[in-house]
Amino acid sequence: MDRLDNTVRPYAWGSATAIPKLLGVEPTGEPQAEMWMGAHPGAPSRTARGTLVEVIDADPERELGAKAVAKFGPRLPFLLKILAAGAPLSLQVHPDLQQAREGYADEERRNIPVDAPYRNYKDANHKPELICALTEFDGLCGFRDPARAANLLEGLGVDSLKPYVDVLRAHPEDAALREVLTAVLTADPAEMAHTVAETAAACDRLGGDYTPYAGIAHHYPGDPGVIAAMLLNHVRLQPGEALYLGAGIPHAYLNGLGVEIMANSDNVLRCGLTPKHVDVPELLRIVRFEAGDPGVLRPEAAPDGEEVYETPIDEFRLSRHVLPGSGGVHDLTRATPQILLCTAGTVRAGEHELTPGQSVFVPAGEKAEMSGAGTVFRATVVA
């Protein structure tokens, strides 16, 4: 197995302290948002044999296994991250596989440069993802019931929100959510900025259920995404709890440290809370206008002490081992590629000693024994 040397991305929303605290190093004073583990071409992990992209390209079947290559092609189909949100991320959705293929092909036909700021589809893949909390973790996930969203907006006492309240109460669920989100994102910018300012002041004054939105408005003054965010469920995860974000589900991470895993894609349609491009017509094509419970996941027990976060897709499988340090050895050998990430304690993976934030890549079929006292997240695929 290969010890990984991973890149930390300094996005502006990142916490300046959470990842350094996990790694046991001094903060730099700059935001440290995400640490990437995998073979994404934007920031591949490095090994003694070269980057993980180079290692896999040299012999895909040996590194990934014949079944994984047959199912996903000669590439690692997931990206594992440690994510540290110190401020809200953009409100966003991801396409399903068919939508991604169609959108990518359309933008290719129109010769839109891949790095153009107004391009939506960087690749032809979908981007389901899972976030598992390492600390208390706040986020937004999926639409509230329209009646509950109407009550929340009405409670602010902001006159310019009343038309949205009336629509949410008068129309069927999907039509109401679609009409209000469309109206918010296409409103006159100056009028919307005034509405958001009034909303922010009311959220500050009222507190309670409005507190998360006061924080969002502080970071994104005047952004229509502040109003759009109030249509969504607010979720607070406790350590070990997780959220699965499938295609078309609007979401945003607000604050906290977590382990994130996703299909290897960069396709994002933004709804707000960002200075980046918002393509409203394409967004409305992708969003699933369905209210529902966000569905907090807790790990399910499997053999050998493994705890699995069950999801409906095959590009990734995330599980957790909490090792008691009793001297036993756990055999994690699989016929699929793995990344093992330590998040607490000290564990031994093969010949490598891992402390929090350290990780290894295990090629398919390679013997993988683990021991020690600590917590290890295991990322692999279903093939």
Side-chain angles (χ1 to χ4, degrees):
M1 62 181 72
D2 300 276
R3 181 182 289 275
L4 298 179
D5 178 17
N6 304 306
T7 297
V8 175
R9 310 305 294 261
Y11 305 135
W13 51 261
S15 166
T17 58
I19 288 178
K21 182 178 179 181
L22 180 73
L23 298 176
V25 299
E26 287 296 316
T28 65
E30 299 298 317
Q32 299 190 36
E34 296 179 346
M35 184 168 76
W36 289 18
M37 291 156 279
H40 191 288
S45 298
R46 299 168 294 277
T47 78
R49 296 189 285 158
T51 71
L52 198 52
V53 170
E54 293 167 342
V55 169
I56 291 170
D57 284 350
D59 194 343
E61 287 210 0
R62 179 184 182 280
E63 303 298 332
L64 305 177
K67 287 186 177 180
V69 171
K71 192 167 188 176
F72 306 111
R75 61 185 183 87
L76 190 67
F78 65 82
L79 176 64
L80 184 67
K81 301 179 180 180
I82 294 175
L83 182 147
L89 282 67
S90 63
L91 193 59
Q92 59 189 256
V93 297
H94 307 301
D96 64 27
L97 190 55
Q98 185 62 32
Q99 290 166 338
R101 288 171 174 167
E102 291 170 356
Y104 180 77
D106 174 63
E107 292 185 328
E108 287 289 281
R109 279 193 301 270
R110 291 190 283 140
N111 294 315
I112 299 176
V114 173
D115 59 353
Y118 54 90
R119 178 151 180 162
N120 296 314
Y121 297 94
K122 311 294 188 186
D123 52 69
N125 199 18
H126 62 165
K127 194 188 177 187
E129 58 189 50
L130 177 80
I131 183 78
C132 178
L134 294 178
T135 65
E136 275 198 346
F137 194 98
D138 281 85
L140 304 172
C141 178
F143 286 109
R144 297 175 185 269
D145 176 86
R148 290 179 53 231
N151 291 340
L152 192 71
L153 293 176
E154 186 176 49
L156 290 164
V158 175
D159 288 344
S160 52
L161 294 177
K162 189 176 186 305
Y164 305 146
V165 172
D166 293 342
V167 170
L168 289 167
R169 289 189 171 143
H171 296 292
E173 175 181 291
D174 58 344
L177 293 169
R178 178 182 291 273
E179 185 172 339
V180 172
L181 183 63
T182 303
V184 167
L185 296 181
T186 57
D188 177 82
E191 292 179 4
M192 179 52 66
H194 181 71
T195 296
V196 172
E198 286 192 299
T199 297
C203 287
D204 274 328
R205 183 180 69 253
L206 294 168
D209 290 343
Y210 295 100
T211 300
Y213 307 101
I216 292 169
H218 171 75
H219 287 287
Y220 297 98
D223 193 306
V226 174
I227 308 302
M230 299 186 77
L231 301 175
L232 307 185
N233 297 296
H234 173 244
V235 185
R236 174 164 291 171
L237 300 177
Q238 297 303 312
E241 294 180 335
L243 286 175
Y244 171 71
L245 291 315
I249 305 298
H251 62 278
Y253 303 144
L254 304 181
N255 186 270
L257 183 70
V259 174
E260 185 182 36
I261 189 167
M262 61 185 62
N264 211 346
S265 170
D266 283 331
N267 288 326
V268 176
L269 281 298
R270 294 177 178 85
C271 317
L273 309 183
T274 178
K276 296 181 178 179
H277 177 60
V278 176
D279 183 336
V280 175
E282 186 64 12
L283 172 72
L284 297 174
R285 189 177 79 88
I286 299 303
V287 171
R288 289 171 53 191
F289 289 96
E290 300 171 4
D293 186 277
V296 174
L297 294 177
R298 295 169 182 85
E300 299 183 11
D304 196 28
E306 186 178 31
E307 300 173 321
V308 181
Y309 294 91
E310 296 288 353
T311 61
I313 51 94
D314 294 342
E315 281 90 341
F316 60 76
R317 176 184 184 273
L318 186 71
S319 61
R320 182 179 70 171
H321 284 264
V322 180
L323 305 182
S326 58
V329 175
H330 297 256
D331 186 356
L332 272 62
T333 306
R334 284 181 68 96
T336 51
Q338 304 180 73
I339 292 178
L340 306 178
L341 165 67
C342 176
T343 59
T346 301
V347 299
R348 179 162 288 278
E351 70 275 24
H352 301 287
E353 184 175 271
L354 304 181
T355 55
Q358 296 182 335
S359 55
V360 292
F361 172 72
V362 186
E366 193 80 14
K367 190 168 184 61
E369 292 185 336
M370 190 171 62
S371 60
T375 301
V376 172
F377 281 84
R378 178 194 209 187
T380 186
V381 302
V382 180

